[in-house]
Amino acid sequence: MTVSITDVARVAGVSASTVSRALRGRPGVSDEVRAQIAAVAGQLGYTASRSASSLASGRTFTIGVVAPHIGRWFFGTVLDAAETVFSAAGYDVLLYNLGSPEARKRFFTRLPVRKRVDAVLSLLIPDLEEEEALRSLGVPLATTVGGARDGFTVVGIDDHAGATSAVRHLVNLGHRRIGMISGESEPLHWTTPIARRQGYLDVLAEAGITHDPALEADGGYTVEGGERAMTELLAVSRPPTAVFAQSDEMAMGALRALRRHRLRAPDDVSVIGFDDHELAEVVGLTTIAQPVPAQGAEAARLLLRQLDEPVAEPAPTGHVRMPIRLVLRETTAPPSPRSPL
Amino acid sequence: MTVSITDVARVAGVSASTVSRALRGRPGVSDEVRAQIAAVAGQLGYTASRSASSLASGRTFTIGVVAPHIGRWFFGTVLDAAETVFSAAGYDVLLYNLGSPEARKRFFTRLPVRKRVDAVLSLLIPDLEEEEALRSLGVPLATTVGGARDGFTVVGIDDHAGATSAVRHLVNLGHRRIGMISGESEPLHWTTPIARRQGYLDVLAEAGITHDPALEADGGYTVEGGERAMTELLAVSRPPTAVFAQSDEMAMGALRALRRHRLRAPDDVSVIGFDDHELAEVVGLTTIAQPVPAQGAEAARLLLRQLDEPVAEPAPTGHVRMPIRLVLRETTAPPSPRSPL
DNA sequence: CTGTTAGCGCATTCAG
DNA sequence: CTGAATGCGCTAACAG
C-alpha cells in the first residue's frame, strides 16, 4: 500500500542507498540520477518513514517542547515562535502540555521523549529532580524561564530588574502604599514569582517603605485570580493606592475588580502589570514589556545551532538576557488626594 | 549506552519477546515473570524506543495537530484542551503551526506526518487539495472548524447562527447602520469568515436594511487589524452606530480605535464580538460565547474513540455542534440620539 | 559515483 | 506460557 524506498529504487532502476542519498541531498550522486530519483519519488508520492530513518540514523529531527498551560498567552506565544523556527529548519515538534501536576508527573517519570527527540525546549522550570531527568536524556536543552542552570541554554529576562522598574515607577509617582498581586511558585516550582517579589521588596526597602504583608495577594497568574486578589486588597483596612501585578493577565483581572467596585485606574488605584500582553494596550495598561516571541525564536535557534555543531564538547550552553522596558500607558498616575481610599 | 529491550531481557533472564509482551500488558506472561521484568525495566530505566516500536508495529501513538497561529487565543486554547486529552490517553502530539502560507505549503507538499501519526486533528480548514492530502494519510481525521466534510469528524459551532444572533441583537436595539469587521478567508481558505458574513447579510435583509459595502472592513482576525478596520469605519461619510466584529480580538482592537478617537462604546458606537475571549469580560465586551476548550477536548476524544475501534467500517465520522449564546455585557446599547456620528 | 551488506530496536508470527 | 526467527524501512559503512 504505502510506497517505500525500495519501490522508488526499483522504479528508478537504482539501489535503495542511492535513493536515500539522492533524496537527502547527500553528496555522491550524479545530478542526472538525482533528478531522476526526485522525479520518481514525487510521482510515487514517496516520503521517508521517520520511524525507520531515525531508527537507522539515531537522529529524529524532532524537538520536544515542554510547556505549562499553552493556553496562556505567554506560553502560547513563545511556542508559536519556537515552532516556526523549528519547522522552518525541517524539525517537527512534539508538544507536552504539562499544566497539571499529574501530567507533569507522568511526563517526568515516563519521560516519553526519550529516544524520540534530538533536543528539548522547556518553557517551564524543572525542579532539581526534573532537571536531572532532562539532562539524562543526553540531548541539548534550552529554556526560556528561570535563571541559569547547568546544561541548559537559557534565554530570558531579568525578572528582578523588571519588577524593580515597575515598583520604582510607582514609588516615583509618589505612592507609599503599594500592593502586589503575585502567584505561587508551587506547584510548578516556578522561580519567576520569587524573583519578581524580591524586586518588589527591594524597592520598598530602598524607598524606606515598611513592607506590609497584608498588601500581598495571590492571583495565581490568571485573570480570575487577579480579580480575586484585587478584591482582597480593596478589603484591607488601609487599601493600597497602587498595585504591581506580576503579570498582565492578573493586572487585567485587577482592573475588572476595580470596575466592579466602581473604582477606576489610575484615579483611585494605579495598576502596573508585567509582560506587555497583546491586549495590554487595549485596556491602556502600564506594564513592563518583554520580547515574548523573540525569546521563543532565539531559544529555538540556539538549540538548532547546538544540533548542527559537530557534536563537540560539553555543549556551549549560554545565557541570553532579553531587554525589558517600562511601557507607560494610562493605568498609573500619582496618588489622588481625593482618593476615597 | 542507551538500554534496549535485549538488555532488560538478559538481566531478567528471559527473551526479548517476553519483555515486549510483559511491558505492554499483553496476555501470555505469568504474573510472576511480568512483575520481575517490570522491576528490572524500572531499575535499568528502560523505555521502549518509539521509532523502533512504531516501525515494527505500524502504530505510532502519536497524534498530529495542525493549527494556524497557536499564539492566538482560540487556537491555543483548543490545542491546550486537546493535548490534555491526548496525553492522558498515552498519545504524544506532534504540532504543526501553519501560520504562514509558506509553512502551510511546506506541510502539505511534504506531508511530514505521513507514517508518523495515528490520527490528525486539524484546527484549520483545508482547501480541497489539502483535504485530499489529509485523507490520503489513511488515518482518522477531525477538525474543530468549518462545516461537515467527507472523512472528517467535525466538532464546531454554527457560525451562521452565531453571527445571526449577534447582528439581530444590534437590530433589536434599534441600530440600522451596522458595520462589520471581518477577516479574509484567504490565504487560509477559511470558511468561518464566510459563514459569519452570511449571517450578517441575512439579518440585514430580514430587517429590511440595505447592505452598504462601505460598512464592511477587514480586520484580519487580529487586534491591530480590528483597530485599523474600526478606524476605517469611522472615516466613512456616515459611520455605523454599531459594529459586529467577527472575533473578540478584532472587537477589542475596535474598542481601542474608539478610545483613540475619544469615542466610547456603547455611547457612541455599540460593539459586539464573537468567541467570548477570556479577556472579553475585562473590557465588558458583549459577545457570542462558544465553548472553546470543550471543542478541543471533544474532538480529541472522538479521534481517540476511532482509534480504539476495531478498525472497522469507513470510520464513523460525526458532526458535533456545540452551543453558542449571546453574552450581554456593556459595549452594546440602543443608538444614542446625541451620537456625534 | 553506485551497489551490497548489516544492523537500528522492537513487535510479531510460529514453534515448542 | 515462553523463545527463536523474521522483517518493519531506512541509513551507514564498506566495497567496487
Side-chain angles (χ1 to χ4, degrees):
Chain A
M1 179 60 221
T2 162
V3 25
S4 81
I5 198 171
T6 55
D7 297 322
V8 178
R10 187 162 22 75
V11 175
V14 296
S15 74
S17 352
T18 303
V19 173
S20 174
R21 281 187 285 252
L23 261 23
R24 288 180 306 141
R26 311 306 300 263
V29 182
S30 71
D31 291 348
E32 191 182 8
V33 172
R34 191 185 296 274
Q36 206 244 331
I37 289 175
V40 172
Q43 194 175 311
L44 264 46
Y46 169 73
T47 312
S49 154
R50 270 313 227 286
S51 308
S53 63
S54 61
L55 181 57
S57 70
R59 292 201 59 174
T60 64
F61 283 98
T62 301
I63 308 287
V65 176
V66 178
H69 308 295
I70 357 174
R72 289 196 196 156
W73 177 79
F74 179 85
F75 298 112
T77 303
V78 170
L79 173 61
D80 192 323
E83 199 281 347
T84 300
V85 171
F86 287 135
S87 74
Y91 283 81
D92 284 342
V93 358
L94 261 179
L95 175 65
Y96 296 90
N97 185 207
L98 272 31
S100 70
E102 307 82 63
R104 184 161 182 154
K105 184 168 179 194
R106 191 169 50 225
F107 178 85
F108 283 104
T109 61
R110 312 204 22 192
L111 227 46
V113 288
R114 189 180 302 177
K115 304 175 191 167
R116 279 208 82 175
V117 300
D118 292 341
V120 171
L121 170 59
S122 173
L123 307 190
L124 56 79
I125 299 183
D127 62 25
L128 258 41
E129 206 173 315
E130 295 169 345
E131 201 181 307
E132 191 45 44
L134 289 178
R135 266 196 295 267
S136 79
L137 257 26
V139 300
L141 266 19
T143 175
T144 56
V145 281
R149 45 189 60 222
D150 230 40
F152 285 74
T153 290
V154 6
V155 175
I157 58 165
D158 185 336
D159 282 301
H160 182 273
T164 297
S165 317
V167 182
R168 200 172 278 136
H169 168 60
L170 299 176
V171 168
N172 290 344
L173 288 173
H175 292 279
R176 304 287 295 176
R177 281 195 73 71
I178 301 174
M180 177 171 68
I181 298 178
S182 54
E184 295 297 330
S185 74
E186 296 303 320
L188 297 182
H189 308 285
W190 209 14
T191 60
T192 303
I194 299 172
R196 294 188 185 174
R197 175 168 190 267
Q198 195 56 52
Y200 164 75
L201 295 178
D202 290 350
V203 173
L204 292 189
E206 95 188 11
I209 300 171
T210 53
H211 170 235
D212 180 352
L215 296 188
E216 283 191 52
D218 181 12
Y221 276 86
T222 67
V223 177
E224 297 70 34
E227 180 174 4
R228 270 198 310 277
M230 186 74 232
T231 303
E232 286 173 32
L233 292 181
L234 290 174
V236 304
S237 51
R238 284 183 54 219
T241 60
V243 168
F244 162 47
Q246 286 193 4
S247 81
D248 280 357
E249 274 153 315
M250 293 192 290
M252 296 196 231
L255 294 179
R256 182 158 88 193
L258 289 179
R259 285 198 351 185
R260 293 225 164 138
H261 287 78
R262 308 274 166 224
L263 296 175
R264 305 202 321 199
D267 313 73
D268 302 304
V269 181
S270 280
V271 174
I272 184 167
F274 202 123
D275 285 347
D276 200 21
H277 187 288
E278 65 172 339
L279 292 173
E281 191 175 353
V282 173
V283 297
L285 181 67
T286 291
T287 191
I288 301 297
Q290 61 169 317
V292 182
Q295 288 179 66
E298 180 63 12
R301 259 181 243 114
L302 291 178
L303 224 34
L304 290 177
R305 188 175 307 165
Q306 285 181 58
L307 252 23
D308 288 344
E309 273 165 9
V311 193
E313 328 81 82
T317 66
H319 191 164
V320 177
R321 274 266 206 266
M322 292 293 204
I324 52 178
R325 69 178 205 289
L326 173 63
V327 176
L328 242 41
R329 285 199 273 251
E330 306 142 39
T331 53
T332 52
S336 159
R338 58 167 181 71
S339 167
L341 301 179
Chain B
M1 178 62 220
T2 161
V3 26
S4 82
I5 197 171
T6 55
D7 297 321
V8 178
R10 186 161 25 73
V11 175
V14 296
S15 73
S17 350
T18 302
V19 173
S20 175
R21 280 188 286 252
L23 260 24
R24 287 179 307 135
R26 310 308 300 261
V29 182
S30 70
D31 291 349
E32 191 184 9
V33 173
R34 190 186 298 273
Q36 207 245 331
I37 290 176
V40 172
Q43 194 176 312
L44 263 48
Y46 169 73
T47 313
S49 154
R50 272 308 228 285
S51 308
S53 63
S54 62
L55 180 57
S57 71
R59 291 202 62 175
T60 65
F61 283 97
T62 301
I63 307 288
V65 175
V66 179
H69 308 295
I70 357 174
R72 288 195 196 157
W73 178 78
F74 179 86
F75 299 113
T77 303
V78 170
L79 172 62
D80 192 323
E83 199 280 348
T84 300
V85 171
F86 287 135
S87 74
Y91 283 80
D92 284 342
V93 358
L94 261 178
L95 175 65
Y96 296 91
N97 185 206
L98 272 32
S100 70
E102 307 83 64
R104 185 162 181 149
K105 184 168 179 194
R106 190 169 52 224
F107 178 85
F108 282 104
T109 61
R110 313 206 20 193
L111 227 45
V113 287
R114 188 179 304 177
K115 305 174 192 167
R116 276 209 85 174
V117 300
D118 291 341
V120 172
L121 171 59
S122 173
L123 306 191
L124 57 77
I125 299 185
D127 63 23
L128 258 42
E129 206 172 315
E130 295 168 344
E131 201 181 307
E132 191 46 44
L134 288 178
R135 266 195 296 267
S136 78
L137 256 27
V139 300
L141 267 19
T143 175
T144 55
V145 282
R149 45 190 60 221
D150 231 40
F152 285 74
T153 290
V154 6
V155 175
I157 57 164
D158 185 335
D159 282 301
H160 181 273
T164 297
S165 317
V167 182
R168 199 172 280 136
H169 168 58
L170 299 176
V171 168
N172 290 344
L173 288 173
H175 292 279
R176 304 288 295 175
R177 282 194 72 70
I178 301 173
M180 177 171 67
I181 298 178
S182 54
E184 295 297 330
S185 74
E186 299 301 322
L188 297 182
H189 309 286
W190 208 13
T191 60
T192 302
I194 299 171
R196 294 187 185 175
R197 176 170 189 266
Q198 194 56 51
Y200 165 74
L201 295 178
D202 290 351
V203 173
L204 292 189
E206 95 187 13
I209 300 171
T210 53
H211 170 237
D212 181 352
L215 296 188
E216 282 191 51
D218 181 12
Y221 276 86
T222 66
V223 177
E224 298 70 36
E227 181 174 5
R228 272 198 309 277
M230 186 75 233
T231 303
E232 285 174 32
L233 291 180
L234 291 175
V236 304
S237 52
R238 285 184 53 221
T241 61
V243 169
F244 162 47
Q246 286 193 4
S247 81
D248 281 356
E249 273 153 316
M250 293 193 290
M252 297 196 230
L255 294 180
R256 182 159 87 193
L258 289 178
R259 285 201 348 189
R260 293 224 165 137
H261 287 78
R262 308 272 166 224
L263 295 175
R264 304 205 319 200
D267 313 74
D268 302 303
V269 180
S270 280
V271 174
I272 184 169
F274 201 122
D275 286 347
D276 199 21
H277 188 288
E278 64 171 340
L279 292 173
E281 192 175 354
V282 173
V283 298
L285 181 66
T286 292
T287 190
I288 301 297
Q290 62 170 317
V292 182
Q295 288 180 64
E298 180 63 12
R301 260 182 242 114
L302 291 178
L303 223 36
L304 289 178
R305 189 175 307 166
Q306 286 181 58
L307 251 24
D308 289 343
E309 273 165 9
V311 193
E313 326 83 79
T317 66
H319 190 162
V320 177
R321 275 262 206 271
M322 291 292 203
I324 51 178
R325 69 176 204 288
L326 173 63
V327 176
L328 241 41
R329 284 198 273 251
E330 305 142 37
T331 55
T332 52
S336 160
R338 59 167 181 70
S339 168
L341 303 179

